[in-house]
Amino acid sequence: MSRVALVTGGSRGIGAAISIALKDAGYTVAATYAGNDDAAAKFTEETGIKSYKWNVADYNESAAGTAQVEADLGPIDVVVANAGITRDAPFHKMTPQQWHEVVDTNLNGVFNTVHPLWNGMRERKFGRVIVISSINGQKGQFAQVNYAATKAGDLGIVKSLAQEGARAGITANAICPGYIATDMVNAVPEKVRDSIVAQIPTGRLGEPEEIARCVAFLASDDASFINGSTITANGGQFFV
Ligand code: CAA
């Protein structure tokens, strides 16, 4: 029987590429989405990957949603915490709401997604936790105090989970994508985006599939001794 993988924010952008890469690698995949019903329906129709709607910022919704996926598809072996949002503003203009929305989704959302699955993985003695962080969690970013804080927090989560899960056959790792050609990056004003691309030695934005391939590797048995690590995939823009 194929392993089951859950990808949050898995019907658009980097998440969609991850869902498809895992399906192509033989997993049974469930993709979550928060609000865009049309995009999710189109994604499911085109790929055959089931999509589920819940808000990762809400613990009870996440617990109920993951339980439903397990009832439909079987125990979740691979969880990819990918769902994330931006609410960019220079700090002097950042509102408490912008801070909390980003923390609730990007940081609390990781807890809410992984925590309901953790005991099952421990009991089955296998699990793969993969968290999609960001280059901006490593280097910080103008107008992203909220986002950078959550993405740096993601790295603390995987380094701690790696230690707790190791004896139970669970690995936890992060990927820090650089600037990838998605709606999120396209929302950055064009002039700013051009100046960012100019800082990428590769000379272009990354492609979602370039991140998805990192996920497929970390999920595989080949990556069994990689635990608590961060894969940096940013075209050479920033070295850790
Ligand atoms: N470094 C230094 N200064 C910067 C800057 C930067 N990176 N970006 C903007 N500024 C400066 C501007 O030059 C301007 O200065 P002046 O006032 O002297 O002209 C000032 O900051 C902008 O101030 P505003 O009051 O006009 O700013 P604003 O309230 O209109 O906000 C912004 C504009 C939100 C900062 C907008 O420029 C923006 O969206 N920037 C991009 C932020 C970014 O990189 N986000 C990443 C999104 S993609 C992502 O997050 C995915 C991932 O993981 C990589």
Side-chain angles (χ1 to χ4, degrees):
M1 239 177 58
S2 66
R3 286 181 177 152
V4 175
L6 174 74
V7 184
T8 64
S11 66
R12 291 169 58 213
I14 292 174
I18 292 170
S19 297
I20 291 165
L22 290 176
K23 182 181 181 230
D24 290 347
Y27 296 84
T28 301
V29 179
T32 81
Y33 70 102
N36 195 331
D37 293 316
D38 290 344
K42 187 164 177 276
F43 174 78
T44 294
E45 194 184 311
E46 285 173 2
T47 63
I49 294 170
K50 262 180 120 149
S51 47
Y52 293 82
K53 185 176 185 176
W54 74 75
N55 179 4
V56 296
D58 184 298
Y59 186 85
N60 291 333
E61 275 190 42
S62 298
T66 50
Q68 184 62 53
V69 171
E70 294 201 319
D72 292 347
L73 306 178
I76 293 169
D77 306 297
V78 177
V79 56
V80 185
N82 164 76
I85 61 170
T86 55
R87 297 287 183 268
D88 294 354
F91 191 55
H92 65 281
K93 291 184 182 172
M94 188 172 284
T95 63
Q97 186 178 351
Q98 288 174 315
W99 169 263
H100 287 296
E101 282 179 7
V102 170
V103 170
D104 285 347
T105 299
N106 299 11
L107 189 63
N108 295 338
V110 176
F111 176 84
N112 296 342
T113 300
V114 178
H115 190 259
L117 302 174
W118 189 249
N119 279 343
M121 288 180 172
R122 277 164 48 90
E123 279 157 21
R124 293 189 301 276
K125 297 268 177 278
F126 180 84
R128 291 281 191 267
V129 176
I130 301 162
V131 181
I132 306 303
S133 175
S134 165
I135 183 176
N136 292 341
Q138 296 173 305
K139 72 170 186 57
Q141 172 60 32
F142 190 100
Q144 284 201 313
V145 166
N146 49 4
Y147 185 88
T150 62
K151 295 299 181 176
D154 288 342
L155 303 183
I157 291 174
V158 299
K159 287 173 190 171
S160 304
L161 286 182
Q163 295 175 48
E164 293 194 25
R167 293 281 173 89
I170 305 170
T171 66
N173 293 287
I175 298 169
C176 284
Y179 283 76
I180 309 299
T182 61
D183 290 347
M184 186 183 272
V185 170
N186 280 333
V188 173
E190 195 177 353
K191 255 177 77 177
V192 179
R193 204 168 59 243
D194 288 348
S195 74
I196 289 168
V197 174
Q199 295 162 29
I200 304 173
T202 309
R204 62 171 174 83
L205 297 174
E207 294 298 329
E209 292 74 18
E210 292 177 306
I211 304 306
R213 287 194 287 272
C214 300
V215 173
F217 171 63
L218 287 176
S220 73
D221 288 336
D222 289 342
S224 50
F225 204 53
I226 300 177
N227 200 7
S229 292
T230 300
I231 294 184
T232 293
N234 63 29
Q237 187 182 348
F238 183 73
F239 303 120
V240 184

